[in-house]
Amino acid sequence: MTKRKEQYNEATFLTVSHEIRIRFNETDPLGIVWHGNYITYFEDGREAFGRQHGLTYLDIGNTGYTTPIVKSKCEHKLSLRYGDVVTIETTVVDTPAAKMIYRFKIIDAKGETACTGETVQVFLDKEGNLMLTNPPFYEEWKRKVGLLK
């Protein structure tokens, strides 16, 4: 079986790091982060990315589009616990397709990778129609940050 070649490239020069502290309500009775909360941490990373690069949900909404998540992937490497301080690294993936792909790495205080993941979001217009090409605001954003010439 042949492995498919990576079609898109991470725009590592746009990576945003965001630090959080694990809260008590995010853990199970053993004090370990409940697995479902990692998706919330990815959301924290996307929000931090959007604030730094002018691509928040409010920015997108003001253009008349929404970007629902259609796919998420999460791979757990190490357990996180109540009180841990971790860094969420969020990187956008440069793709010509009409979607936004984010990759995440959650790093513990020792510098070890605790979790990796990815989310894929598509563009819907005001009527909820799927966009088959990138909306003008996204093309403009990609030019502004150096992903398009």
Side-chain angles (χ1 to χ4, degrees):
M1 181 159 87
T2 305
K3 186 174 182 180
R4 192 165 48 157
K5 184 180 176 189
E6 180 71 31
Q7 296 179 24
Y8 314 124
N9 297 313
E10 289 186 8
T12 54
F13 66 96
L14 295 174
T15 297
V16 171
S17 295
H18 178 67
E19 192 175 272
I20 63 167
R21 181 177 300 275
I22 305 299
R23 298 180 308 172
F24 178 75
N25 69 332
E26 297 167 342
T27 63
D28 64 17
L30 300 174
I32 297 170
V33 171
W34 178 68
H35 67 278
N37 283 320
Y38 288 86
I39 298 297
T40 301
Y41 301 152
F42 293 170
E43 180 76 14
D44 293 340
R46 274 194 309 277
E47 285 286 319
F49 184 94
R51 285 189 302 273
Q52 186 165 328
H53 292 293
L55 197 62
T56 67
Y57 289 119
L58 291 174
D59 296 328
I60 294 168
N62 288 336
T63 68
Y65 295 92
T66 58
T67 55
I69 292 176
V70 295
K71 180 180 176 184
S72 59
K73 178 172 72 171
C74 185
E75 295 183 25
H76 305 275
K77 313 284 186 190
L78 300 170
S79 296
L80 297 175
R81 298 182 173 277
Y82 168 60
D84 286 352
V85 176
V86 301
T87 301
I88 306 162
E89 290 185 352
T90 305
T91 304
V92 70
V93 176
D94 186 18
T95 170
K99 58 185 170 183
M100 295 189 305
I101 303 171
Y102 290 97
R103 291 206 178 127
F104 308 93
K105 186 186 293 185
I106 300 177
I107 303 167
D108 69 12
K110 296 176 187 172
E112 296 181 19
T113 300
C115 179
T116 60
E118 182 178 286
T119 58
V120 178
Q121 295 170 256
V122 296
F123 298 101
L124 301 181
D125 66 13
K126 290 178 188 175
E127 290 77 37
N129 298 310
L130 177 66
M131 302 301 297
L132 299 178
T133 59
N134 282 317
F137 86 88
Y138 193 57
E139 292 284 319
E140 182 181 316
W141 179 83
K142 289 174 85 170
R143 269 194 254 344
K144 178 181 162 188
V145 299
L147 294 176
L148 284 180
K149 306 263 188 239

